[in-house]
Amino acid sequence: MSRFFFIIIFLFISGTCFSQEFPDSLNVKNENDTLISTLNNPLDTSKIARSDIDAIINYSAKDSLIYDLKNKKVYLYNESELTYKDLKLDAGVITVNQETMILEAYGIPDTVNAGKFMQAPLMFQGNDKYEGAKLTYNFRTQQGNVSMGFSDAEIGYYFGDKIKKVTSDVLFIKDGLYTTSTDRENPEYYFLSPKMKVIPNDKVIAQSVYVYIEGVPVFWIPFGVFPNKSGRSSGLIPPKFGDDGTYGKYLSRLGYFWAMSNYTDFAFTTSYFSKGRIDTYGRFRYASKYNFTGSLEGGYSRIRLGESTDIGSPNSDAWNVGINHNQQLTPTSRFDAGLTFTSGKNYYNISTNSLSELLLQNVISNVTYAKTWEGTPFALNMNYYRDQNLETGDLRERIPLVNFSISQTYPFESASSSQYNKKLYEYLSFSYSGSILNDRSKINYKSASEADSVVKNFRSGVRNTLNFNFSPKFEFITFSPFFNYNEIWYNKYVTKTFNPSDSSLVSNDANAIKALRYFNTGVSFSTRFVGIFTPRIFSLRGIRHTITPSISYVYQPDFSDPKWGYYNSYVNQSGQLVKYSIFENGVFGSAPGGESQSLAFTIGNVFEMKTYENDSTDNKFQLFNFDAGINYNFAADSLKFSQLLTSFRTNIGSFLNISGGASFNLYKFDPVINERVNQFLINTDGILANITNFSISMSTAFDFGGSRAIDKPVNPNDTLMLGGDYKGIATTKEDEVSFNIPFSGGLGFNYSESRPTPLETFNSSNLSGNIAFNLTEKWRLTFSTSYDIINKQIVAPYITAYRDLNSWEMNFNWYPTGAYTGFALEVRIKAPQLRDIKVSKQTNNRGVFN
């Protein structure tokens, strides 16, 4: 067989004149190919007029091309191709009528499968695709129709007895069917309408729409207007119907989505319950790419069940407002806002089944503006912070916090100096931070008489922090003296008076501008020792042990001394003098009390190993980390040693992570006075220390595909599908068939024990785990839970199942136990535009909310 290619320019002449031009000779290699009437005599071009076809038509056929001079038609047979501008057509048979300018394309009857066609017409024009049993196209009007045809949509496709293209922007479909199913012979679902008008990349208008599932009609609507483009489209938000045990029959989340522009949209929904409840929700969003994004949303719920005077009446009005905005103002400045205002915990209790929202204890809001100056150490940060406690109703706000900072700067450093020729004074550096804070709070108290009271408080402060460091470089040791200075200004201070008549303590705020100044100074030394062990066992190259000891000394005066003026005192009912800081309620805190001359010693240990991989590569990884530290206060009158703090961590390959820590007290505990006394345990009890805290955590994660193989005898008459390809098996040889099950998850174990005194012990321990695996190619299961080992109870088990149903998908979520026991089952269409077509069922004691 051979393929030959022709280029014909159709010119339509006034009256009945027609001009065509072919090559003088054609090379036909297949003796079965046929060519009729090749004209060699050129026509008089003076009689030629321009036709409606203004571009070259290229066409070819594998079998034959026939030119009928009498009827002025061209026939192409077997694997025929035709291209004209942006139109490309493939078909078994193509016919072109030069007089009417009409093209027709057919498939070739399948001699094996009766009623089927091979090489059915397939036409592409621009981004549009059409296929069917018969295709007609008019070059002059650029209109066409397809019989028993398919046409691709943005997602899915249309099928109709006849598809007629009226213009490039409008299609009419008779007895039209729309689906996203990949099975064109027996789609799992489809929408059927006797008349459809399709506007590509816009919408579909259909009359008398039937919804079929597995060939069974399940729903009918008199007409429908559906989006036919990706992205956002305005339209109704379909509601849910049902019956709730508390609020009665409901119509839930009926609303409208408005795609206002490419940059904004608005959604509004409402829910109505027959027993006296109405919910509303609205959300406005906006976005400008590379500039800003944001949203404004709000919800309101009104419940009226019975009379408001009824005992335990559930009547309520709950609301919630959220504001979000994120914007990069300039390359060096940014503005971010995330605000939530709510009537209280009740709003979440009655409006959601989301576990994360139901467990909320606090609602946090932040508004932040951040600015840096390129090439300088300067930075500015302004922040508004709001913390609303949903359980108590307490409210705390920063309005605002303004912070200006200068990062570590070397003022005497020369531009020409380097680390090799620096002068000693060039190592002197400083950093600065200045803050202004206004703090407002509203605290709810309940007295012994059950009477509620609200205490409001507003405090302000200004803080300046200046840090000096000197860090010269030495070969084996790091030596760093430092000095830290803080100055704070407050507009209020505290006075306390003890009343011996009723043993009450009265605390009052006094208004005055007062300054608070405190500082500390010290020096630190550190070095590093490295030991290397090279056992040369198997592929082991070596083990390295790095020890990093550090000693620091910090001096801080006793700012509770009366000479500083930061502390006052009163005499309690026992005649004891009690000191208190007059700035104890200050927004930046108070000056530390008690002199400190603290010597801190810490040591870090890192064990690493190197193994041989190949001549150019070694593997390096850490084996074990262990750190310990302790302080000694020369200025303390007793208990000069602090607790000994230790921590460790290690990884066993990538399989197991282990970490933990412990703290130890060196002093004896006296049960009579219930506190530690200035006696070492090594001297009194013969032990070095008491353990006061201990914790250990172990976790592992895995992600692999389990596989198994079986030997399966194959019937030579069977067709076996492997890897998605059909392969005919014509042998009795046994083939190996693999089954892979992706399997992932994690396990965690935690144990902690606290012993503030040898007489008290508090411990907790839990084992948690999660597993996810694909049971088959279309089944995915997950399971997660936690087990409280101390209380011997399972905590928050959660099971999910997902099933790919080709065009549909199923999600199943189940909480077997706990306060939110119940399940949710949903089956819906996968296509994003059709996700509101679903069947949902859920059972829990919280009602309908999702």
Side-chain angles (χ1 to χ4, degrees):
M1 298 294 290
S2 66
R3 178 181 296 270
F4 47 89
F5 186 82
F6 297 92
I7 300 177
I8 297 179
I9 301 179
F10 288 99
L11 299 175
F12 191 68
I13 304 178
S14 302
T16 59
C17 295
F18 186 87
S19 171
Q20 63 276 333
E21 185 172 332
F22 290 90
D24 292 338
S25 61
L26 295 172
N27 182 15
V28 181
K29 296 182 180 179
N30 193 321
E31 61 184 7
N32 296 322
D33 290 339
T34 304
L35 178 67
I36 299 177
S37 298
T38 299
L39 299 180
N40 298 320
N41 298 323
L43 297 177
D44 183 1
T45 57
S46 64
K47 298 181 179 181
I48 295 177
R50 182 171 298 276
S51 81
D52 295 313
I53 296 179
D54 56 0
I56 295 175
I57 298 177
N58 299 319
Y59 54 90
S60 65
K62 183 177 182 180
D63 186 34
S64 62
L65 181 149
I66 299 175
Y67 187 81
D68 185 346
L69 284 176
K70 181 179 181 181
N71 298 311
K72 296 184 179 179
K73 290 185 178 180
V74 178
Y75 300 89
L76 295 94
Y77 292 97
N78 196 14
E79 296 187 14
S80 307
E81 290 185 7
L82 183 146
T83 59
Y84 169 68
K85 292 184 178 179
D86 62 344
L87 182 149
K88 181 179 184 297
L89 173 65
D90 296 319
V93 178
I94 298 177
T95 302
V96 180
N97 190 315
Q98 295 178 344
E99 286 190 345
T100 62
M101 299 298 166
I102 293 177
L103 173 152
E104 292 183 343
Y106 308 86
I108 299 175
D110 191 337
T111 56
V112 177
N113 299 312
K116 301 291 183 180
F117 290 86
M118 301 182 299
Q119 301 180 34
L122 176 62
M123 185 176 82
F124 296 90
Q125 187 168 28
N127 296 323
D128 300 328
K129 176 183 174 183
Y130 308 94
E131 54 184 313
K134 177 183 177 181
L135 185 147
T136 304
Y137 183 80
N138 191 313
F139 287 101
R140 183 177 293 124
T141 64
Q142 296 190 4
Q143 295 181 359
N145 59 69
V146 183
S147 299
M148 302 299 292
F150 293 88
S151 177
D152 282 352
E154 184 75 23
I155 293 179
Y157 59 90
Y158 298 95
F159 171 80
D161 287 346
K162 177 176 276 190
I163 300 176
K164 184 175 182 180
K165 184 176 182 181
V166 180
T167 69
S168 60
D169 297 327
V170 177
L171 295 175
F172 285 102
I173 302 177
K174 179 182 178 183
D175 293 331
L177 176 154
Y178 171 76
T179 183
T180 59
S181 173
T182 56
D183 187 351
R184 292 193 172 185
E185 295 290 333
N186 296 295
E188 301 102 322
Y189 82 97
Y190 55 87
F191 299 88
L192 181 66
S193 171
K195 296 179 181 179
M196 282 187 181
K197 179 180 180 180
V198 180
I199 304 175
N201 297 316
D202 189 2
K203 56 180 170 287
V204 178
I205 304 168
Q207 173 185 310
S208 190
V209 181
Y210 297 85
V211 181
Y212 281 74
I213 297 178
E214 295 295 342
V216 178
V218 297
F219 195 71
W220 172 84
I221 54 177
F223 67 92
V225 179
F226 308 101
N228 189 31
K229 60 181 179 180
S230 59
R232 302 168 306 126
S233 298
S234 299
L236 289 174
I237 299 173
K240 295 174 62 176
F241 305 87
D243 196 347
D244 181 79
T246 303
Y247 303 110
K249 292 181 172 56
Y250 61 81
L251 178 69
S252 174
R253 301 181 189 275
L254 171 65
Y256 187 80
F257 178 81
W258 181 19
M260 304 168 67
S261 70
N262 291 332
Y263 310 101
T264 58
D265 61 43
F266 176 73
F268 178 81
T269 61
T270 185
S271 302
Y272 172 78
F273 298 79
S274 62
K275 290 185 178 180
R277 173 171 179 170
I278 296 177
D279 295 346
T280 58
Y281 173 80
R283 184 195 66 197
F284 171 74
R285 296 188 303 180
Y286 56 90
S288 177
K289 194 173 183 180
Y290 306 123
N291 291 318
F292 56 81
T293 61
S295 65
L296 172 64
E297 58 185 324
Y300 172 73
S301 178
R302 183 179 187 272
I303 298 176
R304 294 294 183 268
L305 300 178
E307 300 296 331
S308 60
T309 56
D310 293 346
I311 298 176
S313 172
N315 294 353
S316 66
D317 291 274
W319 54 269
N320 183 276
V321 176
I323 302 171
N324 289 280
H325 183 85
N326 306 97
Q327 183 172 2
Q328 188 75 40
L329 301 173
T330 68
T332 59
S333 64
R334 182 174 181 83
F335 178 80
D336 296 283
L339 297 168
T340 302
F341 305 93
T342 185
S343 58
K345 179 71 172 176
N346 185 53
Y347 177 81
Y348 296 100
N349 288 339
I350 65 175
S351 64
T352 182
N353 272 336
S354 169
L355 193 59
S356 61
E357 292 183 336
L358 289 169
L359 296 177
L360 275 178
Q361 301 296 315
N362 295 72
V363 173
I364 306 297
S365 299
N366 274 288
V367 179
T368 303
Y369 170 77
K371 167 70 177 174
T372 59
W373 283 266
E374 189 175 0
T376 72
F378 306 133
L380 174 68
N381 186 283
M382 293 187 288
N383 173 257
Y384 166 79
Y385 173 85
R386 186 177 188 270
D387 180 356
Q388 181 179 355
N389 189 301
L390 298 178
E391 298 293 337
T392 64
D394 294 348
L395 183 65
R396 301 179 186 275
E397 293 178 291
R398 292 198 297 251
I399 49 175
L401 168 66
V402 181
N403 180 266
F404 175 78
S405 63
I406 303 175
S407 60
Q408 191 173 30
T409 302
Y410 295 84
F412 306 111
E413 187 176 50
S414 172
S416 60
S417 63
S418 67
Q419 60 178 339
Y420 303 106
N421 61 1
K422 268 190 178 182
K423 302 295 190 295
L424 198 60
Y425 59 82
E426 292 184 85
Y427 289 101
L428 181 66
S429 66
F430 78 94
S431 61
Y432 168 79
S433 175
S435 302
I436 301 173
L437 174 59
N438 297 291
D439 188 272
R440 183 171 65 181
S441 62
K442 185 181 72 172
I443 310 299
N444 298 294
Y445 290 98
K446 187 180 289 292
S447 64
S449 62
E450 298 298 320
D452 294 337
S453 61
V454 177
V455 177
K456 297 182 179 180
N457 196 6
F458 185 86
R459 293 183 179 274
S460 301
V462 179
R463 179 176 63 183
N464 293 279
T465 301
L466 190 60
N467 303 312
F468 293 96
N469 289 274
F470 181 63
S471 52
K473 304 295 182 182
F474 299 99
E475 188 173 358
F476 300 110
I477 192 171
T478 301
F479 166 72
S480 300
F482 59 88
F483 177 81
N484 301 319
Y485 174 79
N486 288 272
E487 181 173 321
I488 304 173
W489 290 81
Y490 288 130
N491 62 343
K492 293 181 181 180
Y493 66 95
V494 176
T495 62
K496 293 184 179 183
T497 305
F498 181 77
N499 188 351
S501 61
D502 58 1
S503 298
S504 62
L505 182 65
V506 179
S507 179
N508 293 304
D509 285 337
N511 295 319
I513 302 297
K514 283 185 173 289
L516 166 66
R517 302 175 181 89
Y518 61 93
F519 62 88
N520 63 49
T521 186
V523 62
S524 66
F525 300 86
S526 64
T527 188
R528 186 174 67 167
F529 304 100
V530 178
I532 298 177
F533 174 58
T534 55
R536 298 291 182 182
I537 301 175
F538 302 111
S539 61
L540 185 62
R541 284 290 185 93
I543 297 175
R544 182 169 71 177
H545 179 199
T546 303
I547 304 173
T548 310
S550 174
I551 299 175
S552 63
Y553 173 79
V554 180
Y555 168 73
Q556 178 180 281
D558 180 9
F559 291 103
S560 66
D561 191 297
K563 69 180 181 181
W564 299 99
Y566 305 150
Y567 283 74
N568 277 340
S569 61
Y570 62 89
V571 178
N572 64 13
Q573 66 269 28
S574 302
Q576 295 176 329
L577 188 68
V578 180
K579 282 185 177 182
Y580 69 91
S581 171
I582 64 174
F583 302 114
E584 62 183 19
N585 295 330
V587 293
F588 293 115
S590 179
E595 182 183 358
S596 175
Q597 297 185 47
S598 176
L599 182 68
F601 175 76
T602 61
I603 185 169
N605 295 269
V606 179
F607 295 87
E608 299 170 291
M609 185 168 68
K610 181 191 291 187
T611 58
Y612 173 82
E613 177 71 20
N614 52 51
D615 292 339
S616 60
T617 307
D618 289 330
N619 290 326
K620 301 176 184 178
F621 51 90
Q622 289 190 0
L623 291 175
F624 187 70
N625 294 59
F626 177 78
D627 302 319
I630 193 170
N631 292 359
Y632 183 83
N633 188 357
F634 292 97
D637 56 359
S638 63
L639 307 178
K640 294 179 180 291
F641 279 101
S642 70
Q643 292 194 71
L644 173 65
L645 305 178
T646 62
S647 65
F648 63 90
R649 64 184 182 277
T650 185
N651 299 324
I652 300 178
S654 59
F655 175 71
L656 182 63
N657 302 319
I658 303 174
S659 62
S663 60
F664 305 87
N665 200 303
L666 306 178
Y667 295 101
K668 181 178 178 62
F669 177 79
D670 188 341
V672 177
I673 61 175
N674 199 36
E675 63 182 31
R676 301 278 177 177
V677 295
N678 196 32
Q679 297 179 23
F680 288 107
L681 285 167
I682 191 67
N683 297 328
T684 59
D685 296 4
I687 58 175
L688 181 62
N690 287 143
I691 187 169
T692 56
N693 286 283
F694 173 76
S695 66
I696 186 171
S697 175
M698 294 185 289
S699 64
T700 182
F702 48 88
D703 187 358
F704 52 87
S707 64
R708 60 189 178 92
I710 62 172
D711 290 333
K712 179 180 178 180
V714 178
N715 190 320
N717 298 319
D718 288 344
T719 298
L720 183 65
M721 184 176 71
L722 297 175
D725 295 325
Y726 289 92
K727 301 178 181 179
I729 307 298
T731 175
T732 58
K733 182 180 178 179
E734 294 181 343
D735 282 3
E736 188 178 80
V737 182
S738 296
F739 295 87
N740 294 314
I741 302 179
F743 191 82
S744 63
L747 292 172
F749 170 77
N750 295 282
Y751 177 81
S752 64
E753 183 174 308
S754 175
R755 295 182 179 180
T757 73
L759 305 178
E760 297 176 292
T761 301
F762 304 95
N763 52 26
S764 65
S765 180
N766 69 80
L767 181 67
S768 61
N770 64 85
I771 297 173
F773 62 94
N774 286 23
L775 190 61
T776 66
E777 183 181 355
K778 296 186 177 182
W779 271 106
R780 183 169 69 247
L781 303 176
T782 65
F783 174 77
S784 63
T785 189
S786 178
Y787 179 71
D788 189 329
I789 298 174
I790 304 300
N791 297 314
K792 298 181 179 179
Q793 64 181 11
I794 297 175
V795 181
Y798 183 48
I799 299 170
T800 70
Y802 173 83
R803 176 67 161 90
D804 185 343
L805 300 170
N806 297 327
S807 303
W808 296 72
E809 61 184 0
M810 181 200 74
N811 284 290
F812 177 76
N813 303 298
W814 180 33
Y815 289 97
T817 62
Y820 308 112
T821 301
F823 73 83
L825 173 66
E826 183 176 83
V827 180
R828 66 185 180 189
I829 297 177
K830 277 188 197 175
Q833 288 91 336
L834 301 174
R835 284 198 161 206
D836 287 323
I837 300 176
K838 59 188 177 182
V839 178
S840 300
K841 175 66 176 176
Q842 62 181 29
T843 59
N844 57 41
N845 56 9
R846 294 189 41 76
V848 66
F849 311 106
N850 283 321

